[in-house]
Amino acid sequence: MEIKVLKDILSANDRIAHENQKLLDSKGVLAINVMASPGAGKTSVILQTIAGLKDIIRIGVIEGDVSSSIDTERIAKENVPVLQINTGGECHLDANMVKRALRDMPLDDIDILFIENIGNLICTAEFKIGTHKNLVIASVPEGDDKPLKYPLMFTVADIILVNKIDLLPYSKFDIKAYERSVKGLNENVEVIPVSCATGKGIQRWLKWVTDSKDNIDTEGSAK
């Protein structure tokens, strides 16, 4: 019975996710679902992206959080459209939450929309929200074993950023072993080591973003 109920919930969610992506496609907006564990650097990556691309690409942000608007306030200082979703305890965004948020976003004035999901490596990977790409951010302090512990997250990723590589000298994080684990789950995913503190690797990430915008497939499946 529980399996049937979960299947029904996911099926209904997927239908709304498809509607969300159709809306984004009609506006020519590339949407990226930003997923990570708490503290990995989701907001920091978004801020670095805004700083690097805001003169050439119009960026919007939907911030998901269990409570508070701390990250939204940080984004708002960059003078880009930003909207807060507070889940009130839910550990992930779902398609219906995003659908409501999209109604209040100026999509005609946005080229790329980042949707920062709740800090969680489990259920955020299970619920499609209508984005075109899935970004997973890992960080050196959380260890290199996460692909083995939470395989679904890395299976659905289109791009993985390994953040905080400036801390590698002080950590046992084995980046080569990490990449092997990731590739064992998802051979096509790109892994980019970055540091939001030093800026290392950020240009490679920005190129991926702009290339994705140029190559957006408006007939793609919602994620």
Side-chain angles (χ1 to χ4, degrees):
M1 181 64 68
E2 290 181 358
I3 294 175
K4 183 181 185 301
V5 169
L6 178 60
K7 182 177 179 181
D8 289 345
I9 290 172
L10 291 175
S11 295
N13 182 82
D14 288 355
R15 287 194 296 272
I16 299 173
H18 182 66
E19 293 172 4
N20 290 346
Q21 194 184 58
K22 285 181 66 177
L23 172 61
L24 292 163
D25 289 344
S26 72
K27 301 293 185 178
V29 176
L30 170 67
I32 300 177
N33 185 7
V34 184
M35 298 180 285
S37 59
K42 297 186 297 297
T43 305
S44 295
V45 167
I46 291 172
L47 287 169
Q48 287 278 352
T49 308
I50 293 170
L53 297 178
K54 65 180 179 181
D55 291 336
I56 59 173
I57 291 177
R58 300 172 300 173
I59 293 173
V61 180
I62 293 175
E63 279 285 338
D65 219 330
V66 174
S67 64
S68 89
S69 59
I70 295 172
D71 292 337
T72 298
E73 291 167 10
R74 293 174 63 194
I75 298 291
K77 292 178 181 178
E78 302 302 315
N79 295 316
V80 299
V82 59
L83 188 146
Q84 177 78 38
I85 297 176
N86 286 129
T87 66
E90 292 293 331
C91 60
H92 61 88
L93 296 179
D94 63 32
N96 199 44
M97 293 177 193
V98 172
K99 179 180 181 178
R100 293 195 297 268
L102 290 176
R103 295 171 183 163
D104 295 322
M105 290 297 291
L107 296 179
D108 290 327
D109 301 320
I110 294 172
D111 299 312
I112 297 180
L113 177 65
F114 288 94
I115 302 178
E116 182 175 333
N117 219 313
I118 310 302
N120 187 310
L121 287 178
I122 303 174
C123 47
T124 52
E126 296 177 342
F127 283 79
K128 296 178 180 179
I129 57 176
T131 50
H132 301 91
K133 298 289 184 180
N134 284 331
L135 161 64
V136 173
I137 302 172
S139 69
V140 168
E142 68 191 76
D144 55 24
D145 59 354
K146 295 302 178 287
L148 301 176
K149 290 184 175 181
Y150 308 102
L152 178 61
M153 175 63 69
F154 299 89
T155 300
V156 303
D158 295 292
I159 179 76
I160 297 172
L161 300 184
V162 181
N163 190 25
K164 306 185 183 182
I165 58 170
D166 51 292
L167 299 179
L168 281 173
Y170 314 103
S171 170
K172 294 182 179 180
F173 191 101
D174 187 334
I175 197 161
K176 291 184 178 179
Y178 180 89
E179 290 187 9
R180 285 196 298 270
S181 297
V182 168
K183 293 293 185 178
L185 296 167
N186 185 350
E187 64 181 3
N188 296 318
V189 72
E190 185 171 357
V191 179
I192 303 178
V194 302
S195 169
C196 289
T198 68
K200 188 171 183 179
I202 294 298
Q203 287 302 315
R204 184 178 167 192
W205 154 244
L206 296 181
K207 184 179 186 305
W208 185 92
V209 173
T210 55
D211 287 348
S212 296
K213 175 56 181 170
D214 290 341
N215 298 326
I216 184 174
D217 177 4
T218 58
E219 298 301 321
S221 299
K223 294 185 176 180

